């Protein structure tokens, strides 16, 4: 695994964060050291897939990066005629994702698609995963995607949505961010790396509050939804279509 040094040296001008070759090359190390509970979330995506799988269904991984969630889903599908559809709009990510998927043998087909998740059809789905990607969409586009996911799920299907979130009050928001930065320090990131990455993400990753996620899920039609994981300002929710 290549170590993430993307922000290790001082940069004269910090550009907006992009999922380019430099990031894709170090992504497994980056996400592991930057997202609290990442392994737990990926493993639980596998477990939930085992529970919510249905025959003749699609399993979506929206914003798949290198395909960790797709691999977890594929390992757990035993239902007949399943297909995993992994989507990312970064060429650097999807090329590496294709290689990862080919490296492991499986009878379950996986299609790795270079596309914008706002533009692909979502249909016949037993499971839809959107793991730390909704936060990168322009806020005004989020509702339409959640609505389309609801429409594309089969009855009894599940959406697993993981996000970084913010809180409405400054005191708890700053405390959660401080605890998160301690987590990054403990994982070997320097003050310079933490602050340069924060600046790079400022314009491209805009977290919602948990209340706005819950409202959006409810309005889309999900009557059953809840938080199942939280660590600092990172969380994962599930929503089940009845
Ligand atoms: C994992 N889910 O390892 N359409 C398609 N892809 C997009 C879009 C878009 N509009 N916007 C961003 N992306 C993964 C981790 S990373 C999260 C997901 C992170 C893609 C982007 O190219 C990147 O690969 C991914 O969403 C977000 O479980 O790095 O914090």
């Amino acid at each position: 695994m290549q170590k993430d040094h993307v922000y290790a040296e001082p940069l004269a001008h910090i550009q907006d964060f992009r999922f380019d070759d430099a990031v894709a090359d170090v992504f497994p190390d980056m996400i592991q050291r930057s997202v609290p509970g990442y392994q737990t979330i990926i493993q639980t995506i596998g477990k939930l897939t085992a529970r919510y799988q249905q025959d003749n269904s699609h399993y979506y991984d929206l914003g798949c990066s290198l395909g960790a969630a797709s691999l977890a889903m594929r390992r757990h599908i035993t239902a007949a005629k399943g297909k995993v559809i992994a989507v990312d709009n970064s060429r650097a990510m999807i090329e590496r994702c294709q290689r990862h998927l080919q490296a492991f043998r499986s009878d379950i087909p996986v299609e790795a698609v270079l596309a914008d998740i706002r533009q692909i059809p979502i249909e016949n789905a037993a499971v839809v995963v959107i793991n730390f990607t909704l936060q990168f969409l322009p806020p005004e586009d989020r509702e339409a995607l959640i609505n389309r996911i609801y429409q594309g799920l089969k009855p009894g299907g599940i959406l697993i949505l993981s996000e970084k979130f913010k809180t409405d009050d400054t005191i708890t928001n700053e405390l959660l961010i401080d605890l998160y930065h301690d987590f990054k320090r403990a994982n070997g990131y320097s003050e310079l790396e933490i602050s340069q990455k924060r600046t790079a993400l400022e314009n491209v990753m805009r977290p919602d509050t948990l209340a706005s996620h819950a409202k959006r899920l409810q309005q889309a039609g999900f009557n059953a939804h809840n938080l199942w994981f939280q660590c600092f300002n990172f969380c994962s929710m599930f929503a089940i279509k009845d």
Side-chain angles (χ1 to χ4, degrees):
M1 205 195 288
Q2 280 191 57
K3 199 159 162 87
D4 169 21
H5 292 301
V6 174
Y7 292 102
E9 298 303 323
L11 299 167
H13 172 68
I14 301 172
Q15 292 180 340
D16 280 350
F17 188 81
R18 290 178 54 229
F19 291 96
D20 56 12
D21 284 299
V23 166
D25 277 340
V26 299
F27 194 71
D29 178 64
M30 176 183 281
I31 197 139
Q32 191 68 44
R33 291 200 288 140
S34 307
V35 174
Y38 180 71
Q39 255 344 304
T40 303
I41 293 170
I42 293 293
Q43 282 164 10
T44 307
I45 287 169
K47 294 269 192 291
L48 288 168
T49 301
R51 271 176 188 254
Y52 283 87
Q53 59 181 318
Q54 300 184 34
D55 287 347
N56 304 303
S57 298
H58 292 159
Y59 301 80
Y60 288 90
D61 181 3
L62 304 179
C64 59
S65 298
L66 302 183
S70 294
L71 285 168
M73 287 197 281
R74 193 172 69 170
R75 271 198 298 276
H76 285 83
I77 298 169
T78 49
K81 298 202 171 121
K83 180 174 164 190
V84 179
I85 301 166
V87 185
D88 206 289
N89 67 352
S90 154
R91 184 175 295 281
M93 288 293 189
I94 218 76
E95 281 173 3
R96 288 163 181 80
C97 179
Q98 265 152 356
R99 291 207 289 273
H100 277 211
L101 294 166
Q102 281 159 11
F104 299 90
R105 266 185 50 80
S106 167
D107 294 335
I108 316 280
V110 184
E111 203 182 313
V113 187
L114 176 65
D116 192 309
I117 56 174
R118 290 167 294 181
Q119 279 153 16
I120 52 130
I122 299 171
E123 55 202 10
N124 204 29
V127 180
V128 176
V129 171
I130 175 157
N131 208 32
F132 301 106
T133 300
L134 193 69
Q135 60 201 14
F136 288 104
L137 293 191
E140 63 275 14
D141 293 349
R142 297 176 189 178
E143 184 182 330
L145 179 63
I146 297 295
N147 290 345
R148 285 202 307 112
I149 290 172
Y150 182 81
Q151 297 305 330
L153 276 168
K154 296 164 96 167
I158 188 169
L159 161 65
I160 304 158
L161 168 65
S162 310
E163 289 272 287
K164 191 174 186 178
F165 67 92
K166 63 176 183 184
T167 66
D168 275 330
D169 69 290
T170 322
I171 294 175
T172 65
N173 203 48
E174 285 181 359
L175 178 55
L176 289 171
I177 291 171
D178 273 1
L179 289 170
Y180 171 54
H181 288 166
D182 283 346
F183 164 89
K184 289 195 81 169
R185 283 179 202 109
N187 283 339
Y189 283 115
S190 67
E191 297 306 320
L192 180 70
E193 286 176 296
I194 293 171
S195 89
Q196 292 196 133
K197 175 101 181 255
R198 194 178 183 181
T199 306
L201 282 172
E202 222 147 57
N203 299 321
V204 287
M205 194 229 265
R206 277 158 292 173
D208 286 317
T209 60
L210 291 180
S212 53
H213 281 296
K215 189 170 167 205
R216 196 182 287 130
L217 291 169
Q218 192 73 39
Q219 281 177 346
F222 290 105
N223 294 318
H225 57 86
N226 222 320
L227 198 65
W228 68 267
F229 176 89
Q230 183 191 338
C231 184
F232 314 131
N233 49 345
F234 286 73
C235 74
S236 189
M237 293 156 265
F238 46 37
I240 295 132
K241 181 167 176 174
D242 50 19

